[in-house]
Amino acid sequence: QVQLVESGGGLVQPGGSLRLSCVVSGLTLDSYTIAWFRQAPGKQREGVSSFTPVDGTKAYAKSMKGLLTISRESAKNTVYLQMNSLRTEDTAIYYCATMRKKIAVNTSPLNPLTYDYWGQGTQVTVSS
């Protein structure tokens, strides 16, 4: 059984930082792409960042590029998302997701339809 558990969300002031964690059980992070998504009220689920271990590639949302860092701690089977210079528009529920199979060619790693397993999310609120 594959499970993903997010943590690290909370309330932060504009310009502040948070580090989100996603602990994965039931599969190894050595073979399958893992990603962070977010969904704000009334909006579509949006890809934030992804990591594909097979080739070490990372992807970031264009609107947040340069402000994010995705990383993995293999020993703990955990992926992290460091977010800096947060804005009020970054307020959303942040989800961790991974794939059942190796990512297919011509597939965007920030497309939520690509992913099979999802966590329950962690709330990030950016407010003064």
Side-chain angles (χ1 to χ4, degrees), residues 66-126:
L67 306 177
L68 303 173
T69 302
I70 190 169
S71 61
R72 181 188 65 175
E73 189 170 359
S74 297
K76 296 183 178 181
N77 217 36
T78 300
V79 66
Y80 303 96
L81 181 68
Q82 178 69 44
M83 303 190 293
N84 300 319
S85 300
L86 287 165
R87 307 154 297 180
T88 56
E89 52 263 44
D90 295 319
T91 296
I93 300 175
Y94 284 71
Y95 298 92
C96 181
T98 192
M99 300 179 182
R100 181 184 302 170
K101 299 180 180 179
K102 180 181 178 181
I103 189 169
V105 295
N106 300 320
T107 300
S108 172
L110 296 181
N111 180 0
L113 297 178
T114 307
Y115 293 82
D116 302 294
Y117 306 108
W118 294 82
Q120 66 183 42
T122 184
Q123 177 71 50
V124 172
T125 303
V126 185

